Amino acid sequence: MGAQTVRPELARPDDVVLSWEGEAVVAVRLPQLSESLDHILVALERRHGMPLSELDRRTKQSVVRSLEARGAFSVRHGVETVAGALGVSRFTVYNYLNRSQTN
């Protein structure tokens, strides 16, 4: 999802260097996770055909479960970003998360 390859000698500390038979052959530069979250939210809006803030409560809960499975809440400010996109409070997102863990 938006990764690029670079020569191993140009690898940054957060790049993933891939080796073959003990020799570094390529480095993979992953996009910032926060940028990926924005792309995921846009894709979800496209899939639902409307802004996420206009979805009904049950669908918003489903979106939160899907985002949780994709690691969206491990991103710094992930809950705030998702809450803003859904048009709900952070507290509501946490409630959706807690609800999915108890079901």
Side-chain angles (χ1 to χ4, degrees):
M1 176 192 257
Q4 67 182 61
T5 58
V6 295
R7 293 191 324 257
E9 63 272 12
L10 300 176
R12 297 178 187 158
D14 57 342
D15 292 342
V16 178
V17 178
L18 303 176
S19 299
W20 179 259
E21 296 183 356
E23 183 179 335
V25 291
V26 70
V28 179
R29 183 163 297 150
L30 301 172
Q32 294 296 319
L33 214 45
S34 59
E35 293 172 16
S36 296
L37 178 55
D38 292 335
H39 290 292
I40 292 168
L41 292 170
V42 168
L44 285 168
E45 283 189 343
R46 235 178 292 137
R47 184 184 330 154
H48 289 285
M50 66 178 67
L52 298 177
S53 61
E54 295 179 13
L55 298 174
D56 61 56
R57 182 176 54 87
R58 180 167 288 174
T59 307
K60 287 180 182 181
Q61 290 171 337
S62 174
V63 165
V64 168
R65 283 192 299 275
S66 170
L67 290 169
E68 180 183 26
R70 296 174 83 169
F73 302 111
S74 63
V75 175
R76 185 173 182 187
H77 303 297
V79 171
E80 291 87 346
T81 301
V82 170
L86 292 175
V88 299
S89 68
R90 289 182 1 224
F91 181 76
T92 299
V93 172
Y94 284 118
N95 279 339
Y96 291 170
L97 290 168
N98 289 335
R99 180 180 175 96
S100 70
Q101 292 172 357
T102 59
N103 289 336

